[in-house]
Amino acid sequence: MASLWMLVASLFFASMGVCVKLGAASFSSAELVFYRGFIAAVLIGATIGVRRWSLRTPHVAAHFRRGLSGFVSLAMYFYAISRLPLPTAVTLNYTAPLFLAGMLAVTGREKVRPGLLLALVVGFVGIALLLRPTFAGEQWVAGLVGLASGVTAAMAYWNVRELGALGEPEWRTVFYFSLFSALGGLPWMVTGQTLHAVGGQGLLLLLGVGGFGALAQLAMTRAYKYGKTLVSASLAYSTVVFSSLYGILIWDDQLDAFSWLGVGLVVGSGLLASQSARSAPAEQD
């Protein structure tokens, strides 16, 4: 069931990416980061209010670590997108599962089985084939920032898993992350050169960014809470597949043979990760 939640999260993340790509023509990266957090916080906050759930938590420090790592990763990811070709930025950000595997192996928090590690590597190779990033000489600083977004994203996944182990409900984890992102993105937005008016199609795109982002975070948080950390990380690669399909349907993108091979490797990595988890003996996550 956790694997299904991760696939749902990947679909929503890809849907959010479509809204970001379309919205980038009307809004700056800072505005998109702020509205993603703000709209998600409002939507989840309204649900919490209607259902009368409590936002009180004994794990303030853990929420702060998750919010900080997630926001920093998001900000660096948007910075990289604004200065690099989109395929390059996405590839660098999706190094996160490999960094996460290294963190878990070094700390001994979760046993990294050969089959699962192979799935992570295969998935990243598939992404590299699908996106085939290139660097221009003046883009190395942005490239390092994009790579750093992958490192901090791995830390965010780690913190999501930690909150799940502490018993925090998904909606509370996602609400505080969204609120942190909105508060962190606000000064970045207001100190930017231009604030754009919101209305019409722009409003719908921003609602898509925040709404799909919130749903994706909820599904991802549940996947990390109930599933094996590295299996969830491997299945996150499926975001690339969904994004490629969106590209074909909306922008009439054409995939060559190497790209289709990459899609196959990404799908294969998810299947390999699931098979490795099913065949492993029971162990503490």
Side-chain angles (χ1 to χ4, degrees):
M1 192 63 181
S3 297
L4 178 60
W5 280 115
M6 197 66 228
L7 290 174
V8 170
S10 296
L11 176 59
F12 284 138
F13 275 128
S15 301
M16 183 199 70
V18 170
C19 295
V20 170
K21 183 175 179 64
L22 294 172
S26 303
F27 302 100
S28 67
S29 296
E31 289 172 309
L32 290 170
V33 169
F34 167 77
Y35 285 118
R36 175 182 171 177
F38 176 75
I39 292 172
V42 170
L43 292 175
I44 298 173
T47 303
I48 291 171
V50 169
R51 294 179 175 269
R52 297 186 177 182
W53 292 334
S54 175
L55 286 172
R56 298 179 65 178
T57 176
H59 309 299
V60 176
H63 279 288
F64 180 83
R65 290 192 295 271
R66 189 273 179 271
L68 181 60
S69 58
F71 169 71
V72 171
S73 176
L74 187 65
M76 289 192 295
Y77 183 39
F78 274 76
Y79 175 87
I81 288 176
S82 68
R83 288 164 172 78
L84 293 172
L86 182 60
T88 303
V90 172
T91 301
L92 291 171
N93 184 257
Y94 269 78
T95 59
L98 298 179
F99 288 117
L100 179 60
M103 291 165 58
L104 291 170
V106 169
T107 61
R109 291 287 296 273
E110 185 170 317
K111 188 173 182 179
V112 183
R113 295 183 175 277
L116 207 50
L117 185 58
L118 177 61
L120 289 165
V121 175
V122 168
F124 183 68
V125 170
I127 288 177
L129 282 173
L130 182 62
L131 302 177
R132 293 197 293 282
T134 57
F135 282 122
E138 67 276 7
Q139 293 178 326
W140 281 106
V141 172
L144 290 175
V145 173
L147 186 62
S149 77
V151 177
T152 50
M155 295 177 182
Y157 297 157
W158 177 292
N159 293 325
V160 167
R161 180 61 169 149
E162 179 186 30
L163 284 164
L166 291 171
E168 283 290 83
E170 298 84 16
W171 50 266
R172 188 183 293 157
T173 298
V174 176
F175 173 80
Y176 281 123
F177 165 66
S178 301
L179 182 62
F180 199 110
S181 296
L183 294 176
L186 182 60
W188 182 24
M189 181 180 71
V190 299
T191 56
Q193 295 180 345
T194 305
L195 289 178
H196 298 90
V198 177
Q201 183 181 3
L203 176 59
L204 292 177
L205 290 173
L206 291 177
L207 288 174
V209 171
F212 283 128
L215 291 172
Q217 288 287 334
L218 287 169
M220 183 195 74
T221 302
R222 173 159 289 208
Y224 276 104
K225 180 177 180 178
Y226 295 110
K228 294 180 181 296
T229 305
L230 292 181
V231 173
S232 297
S234 293
L235 291 174
Y237 284 141
S238 59
T239 301
V240 178
V241 178
F242 291 127
S243 297
S244 300
L245 294 176
Y246 272 132
I248 294 172
L249 294 174
I250 298 175
W251 291 283
D252 197 28
D253 291 343
Q254 300 297 320
L255 299 184
D256 58 19
F258 282 105
S259 296
W260 282 117
L261 176 59
V263 170
L265 289 176
V266 171
V267 174
S269 73
L271 296 175
L272 179 60
S274 299
Q275 181 61 38
S276 177
R278 284 195 296 268
S279 62
E283 61 186 52
Q284 184 178 0
D285 284 342

PDB file of all heavy atoms in Angstrom, residues 5-23:
ATOM      1  N   TRP A   5       0.905   4.648  -2.534  1.00  0.00           N
ATOM      2  CA  TRP A   5       0.885   6.052  -2.099  1.00  0.00           C
ATOM      3  C   TRP A   5       2.035   6.831  -2.727  1.00  0.00           C
ATOM      4  O   TRP A   5       1.876   7.999  -3.099  1.00  0.00           O
ATOM      5  CB  TRP A   5       0.956   6.140  -0.573  1.00  0.00           C
ATOM      6  CG  TRP A   5      -0.342   5.908   0.123  1.00  0.00           C
ATOM      7  CD1 TRP A   5      -0.669   4.883   0.971  1.00  0.00           C
ATOM      8  CD2 TRP A   5      -1.516   6.725   0.026  1.00  0.00           C
ATOM      9  NE1 TRP A   5      -1.961   5.008   1.393  1.00  0.00           N
ATOM     10  CE2 TRP A   5      -2.508   6.132   0.843  1.00  0.00           C
ATOM     11  CE3 TRP A   5      -1.823   7.896  -0.661  1.00  0.00           C
ATOM     12  CZ2 TRP A   5      -3.787   6.671   0.989  1.00  0.00           C
ATOM     13  CZ3 TRP A   5      -3.099   8.440  -0.521  1.00  0.00           C
ATOM     14  CH2 TRP A   5      -4.059   7.835   0.291  1.00  0.00           C
ATOM     15  N   MET A   6       3.201   6.179  -2.889  1.00  0.00           N
ATOM     16  CA  MET A   6       4.332   6.873  -3.497  1.00  0.00           C
ATOM     17  C   MET A   6       4.086   7.133  -4.966  1.00  0.00           C
ATOM     18  O   MET A   6       4.461   8.199  -5.495  1.00  0.00           O
ATOM     19  CB  MET A   6       5.619   6.053  -3.313  1.00  0.00           C
ATOM     20  CG  MET A   6       6.889   6.867  -3.548  1.00  0.00           C
ATOM     21  SD  MET A   6       7.108   8.173  -2.305  1.00  0.00           S
ATOM     22  CE  MET A   6       7.483   9.560  -3.364  1.00  0.00           C
ATOM     23  N   LEU A   7       3.445   6.201  -5.646  1.00  0.00           N
ATOM     24  CA  LEU A   7       3.113   6.406  -7.060  1.00  0.00           C
ATOM     25  C   LEU A   7       2.088   7.533  -7.212  1.00  0.00           C
ATOM     26  O   LEU A   7       2.175   8.346  -8.143  1.00  0.00           O
ATOM     27  CB  LEU A   7       2.575   5.116  -7.666  1.00  0.00           C
ATOM     28  CG  LEU A   7       3.590   3.982  -7.852  1.00  0.00           C
ATOM     29  CD1 LEU A   7       2.895   2.712  -8.320  1.00  0.00           C
ATOM     30  CD2 LEU A   7       4.683   4.390  -8.839  1.00  0.00           C
ATOM     31  N   VAL A   8       1.121   7.583  -6.290  1.00  0.00           N
ATOM     32  CA  VAL A   8       0.142   8.680  -6.300  1.00  0.00           C
ATOM     33  C   VAL A   8       0.859  10.010  -6.079  1.00  0.00           C
ATOM     34  O   VAL A   8       0.574  11.004  -6.756  1.00  0.00           O
ATOM     35  CB  VAL A   8      -0.935   8.449  -5.221  1.00  0.00           C
ATOM     36  CG1 VAL A   8      -1.813   9.687  -5.052  1.00  0.00           C
ATOM     37  CG2 VAL A   8      -1.802   7.249  -5.581  1.00  0.00           C
ATOM     38  N   ALA A   9       1.795  10.024  -5.127  1.00  0.00           N
ATOM     39  CA  ALA A   9       2.563  11.243  -4.864  1.00  0.00           C
ATOM     40  C   ALA A   9       3.328  11.681  -6.106  1.00  0.00           C
ATOM     41  O   ALA A   9       3.369  12.876  -6.433  1.00  0.00           O
ATOM     42  CB  ALA A   9       3.532  11.011  -3.700  1.00  0.00           C
ATOM     43  N   SER A  10       3.922  10.727  -6.807  1.00  0.00           N
ATOM     44  CA  SER A  10       4.693  11.054  -8.009  1.00  0.00           C
ATOM     45  C   SER A  10       3.799  11.665  -9.087  1.00  0.00           C
ATOM     46  O   SER A  10       4.192  12.619  -9.773  1.00  0.00           O
ATOM     47  CB  SER A  10       5.381   9.799  -8.551  1.00  0.00           C
ATOM     48  OG  SER A  10       6.338   9.311  -7.622  1.00  0.00           O
ATOM     49  N   LEU A  11       2.583  11.132  -9.234  1.00  0.00           N
ATOM     50  CA  LEU A  11       1.647  11.683 -10.214  1.00  0.00           C
ATOM     51  C   LEU A  11       1.285  13.121  -9.854  1.00  0.00           C
ATOM     52  O   LEU A  11       1.254  14.003 -10.721  1.00  0.00           O
ATOM     53  CB  LEU A  11       0.390  10.824 -10.283  1.00  0.00           C
ATOM     54  CG  LEU A  11      -0.727  11.335 -11.197  1.00  0.00           C
ATOM     55  CD1 LEU A  11      -0.242  11.465 -12.630  1.00  0.00           C
ATOM     56  CD2 LEU A  11      -1.940  10.413 -11.119  1.00  0.00           C
ATOM     57  N   PHE A  12       1.038  13.365  -8.576  1.00  0.00           N
ATOM     58  CA  PHE A  12       0.690  14.723  -8.148  1.00  0.00           C
ATOM     59  C   PHE A  12       1.885  15.674  -8.271  1.00  0.00           C
ATOM     60  O   PHE A  12       1.717  16.843  -8.631  1.00  0.00           O
ATOM     61  CB  PHE A  12       0.158  14.718  -6.716  1.00  0.00           C
ATOM     62  CG  PHE A  12      -1.254  14.221  -6.595  1.00  0.00           C
ATOM     63  CD1 PHE A  12      -1.620  13.375  -5.558  1.00  0.00           C
ATOM     64  CD2 PHE A  12      -2.218  14.598  -7.510  1.00  0.00           C
ATOM     65  CE1 PHE A  12      -2.929  12.925  -5.431  1.00  0.00           C
ATOM     66  CE2 PHE A  12      -3.534  14.151  -7.400  1.00  0.00           C
ATOM     67  CZ  PHE A  12      -3.883  13.305  -6.359  1.00  0.00           C
ATOM     68  N   PHE A  13       3.085  15.181  -7.976  1.00  0.00           N
ATOM     69  CA  PHE A  13       4.274  16.026  -8.149  1.00  0.00           C
ATOM     70  C   PHE A  13       4.459  16.392  -9.618  1.00  0.00           C
ATOM     71  O   PHE A  13       4.819  17.532  -9.947  1.00  0.00           O
ATOM     72  CB  PHE A  13       5.522  15.312  -7.625  1.00  0.00           C
ATOM     73  CG  PHE A  13       5.758  15.470  -6.152  1.00  0.00           C
ATOM     74  CD1 PHE A  13       5.970  14.366  -5.341  1.00  0.00           C
ATOM     75  CD2 PHE A  13       5.787  16.733  -5.573  1.00  0.00           C
ATOM     76  CE1 PHE A  13       6.181  14.510  -3.974  1.00  0.00           C
ATOM     77  CE2 PHE A  13       6.005  16.891  -4.203  1.00  0.00           C
ATOM     78  CZ  PHE A  13       6.193  15.772  -3.406  1.00  0.00           C
ATOM     79  N   ALA A  14       4.222  15.431 -10.500  1.00  0.00           N
ATOM     80  CA  ALA A  14       4.335  15.717 -11.928  1.00  0.00           C
ATOM     81  C   ALA A  14       3.268  16.719 -12.354  1.00  0.00           C
ATOM     82  O   ALA A  14       3.536  17.629 -13.158  1.00  0.00           O
ATOM     83  CB  ALA A  14       4.207  14.428 -12.734  1.00  0.00           C
ATOM     84  N   SER A  15       2.054  16.581 -11.815  1.00  0.00           N
ATOM     85  CA  SER A  15       0.976  17.523 -12.129  1.00  0.00           C
ATOM     86  C   SER A  15       1.321  18.924 -11.624  1.00  0.00           C
ATOM     87  O   SER A  15       1.066  19.924 -12.310  1.00  0.00           O
ATOM     88  CB  SER A  15      -0.330  17.047 -11.493  1.00  0.00           C
ATOM     89  OG  SER A  15      -0.696  15.760 -11.963  1.00  0.00           O
ATOM     90  N   MET A  16       1.918  18.991 -10.449  1.00  0.00           N
ATOM     91  CA  MET A  16       2.368  20.276  -9.929  1.00  0.00           C
ATOM     92  C   MET A  16       3.435  20.864 -10.842  1.00  0.00           C
ATOM     93  O   MET A  16       3.447  22.071 -11.114  1.00  0.00           O
ATOM     94  CB  MET A  16       2.924  20.116  -8.521  1.00  0.00           C
ATOM     95  CG  MET A  16       3.351  21.423  -7.868  1.00  0.00           C
ATOM     96  SD  MET A  16       4.481  21.156  -6.488  1.00  0.00           S
ATOM     97  CE  MET A  16       5.952  20.600  -7.353  1.00  0.00           C
ATOM     98  N   GLY A  17       4.324  20.005 -11.348  1.00  0.00           N
ATOM     99  CA  GLY A  17       5.374  20.473 -12.241  1.00  0.00           C
ATOM    100  C   GLY A  17       4.818  21.086 -13.510  1.00  0.00           C
ATOM    101  O   GLY A  17       5.358  22.076 -14.024  1.00  0.00           O
ATOM    102  N   VAL A  18       3.722  20.536 -14.022  1.00  0.00           N
ATOM    103  CA  VAL A  18       3.071  21.114 -15.200  1.00  0.00           C
ATOM    104  C   VAL A  18       2.599  22.528 -14.893  1.00  0.00           C
ATOM    105  O   VAL A  18       2.804  23.459 -15.686  1.00  0.00           O
ATOM    106  CB  VAL A  18       1.883  20.237 -15.647  1.00  0.00           C
ATOM    107  CG1 VAL A  18       1.059  20.954 -16.716  1.00  0.00           C
ATOM    108  CG2 VAL A  18       2.377  18.904 -16.172  1.00  0.00           C
ATOM    109  N   CYS A  19       1.982  22.697 -13.722  1.00  0.00           N
ATOM    110  CA  CYS A  19       1.499  24.029 -13.330  1.00  0.00           C
ATOM    111  C   CYS A  19       2.657  24.998 -13.130  1.00  0.00           C
ATOM    112  O   CYS A  19       2.562  26.180 -13.483  1.00  0.00           O
ATOM    113  CB  CYS A  19       0.664  23.926 -12.058  1.00  0.00           C
ATOM    114  SG  CYS A  19      -0.869  22.984 -12.242  1.00  0.00           S
ATOM    115  N   VAL A  20       3.764  24.509 -12.573  1.00  0.00           N
ATOM    116  CA  VAL A  20       4.939  25.369 -12.384  1.00  0.00           C
ATOM    117  C   VAL A  20       5.498  25.793 -13.739  1.00  0.00           C
ATOM    118  O   VAL A  20       5.836  26.967 -13.949  1.00  0.00           O
ATOM    119  CB  VAL A  20       6.018  24.638 -11.557  1.00  0.00           C
ATOM    120  CG1 VAL A  20       7.332  25.420 -11.576  1.00  0.00           C
ATOM    121  CG2 VAL A  20       5.548  24.450 -10.123  1.00  0.00           C
ATOM    122  N   LYS A  21       5.599  24.835 -14.664  1.00  0.00           N
ATOM    123  CA  LYS A  21       6.143  25.130 -15.985  1.00  0.00           C
ATOM    124  C   LYS A  21       5.278  26.168 -16.710  1.00  0.00           C
ATOM    125  O   LYS A  21       5.792  27.120 -17.310  1.00  0.00           O
ATOM    126  CB  LYS A  21       6.234  23.852 -16.815  1.00  0.00           C
ATOM    127  CG  LYS A  21       6.870  24.044 -18.199  1.00  0.00           C
ATOM    128  CD  LYS A  21       7.031  22.716 -18.911  1.00  0.00           C
ATOM    129  CE  LYS A  21       7.641  22.878 -20.302  1.00  0.00           C
ATOM    130  NZ  LYS A  21       9.021  23.403 -20.253  1.00  0.00           N
ATOM    131  N   LEU A  22       3.953  26.004 -16.632  1.00  0.00           N
ATOM    132  CA  LEU A  22       3.057  26.961 -17.267  1.00  0.00           C
ATOM    133  C   LEU A  22       3.058  28.299 -16.529  1.00  0.00           C
ATOM    134  O   LEU A  22       2.997  29.365 -17.146  1.00  0.00           O
ATOM    135  CB  LEU A  22       1.635  26.393 -17.318  1.00  0.00           C
ATOM    136  CG  LEU A  22       1.433  25.169 -18.216  1.00  0.00           C
ATOM    137  CD1 LEU A  22       0.032  24.595 -18.033  1.00  0.00           C
ATOM    138  CD2 LEU A  22       1.674  25.514 -19.682  1.00  0.00           C
ATOM    139  N   GLY A  23       3.150  28.237 -15.207  1.00  0.00           N
ATOM    140  CA  GLY A  23       3.117  29.461 -14.413  1.00  0.00           C
ATOM    141  C   GLY A  23       4.394  30.266 -14.469  1.00  0.00           C
ATOM    142  O   GLY A  23       4.388  31.467 -14.168  1.00  0.00           O
TER     143      GLY A  23
END
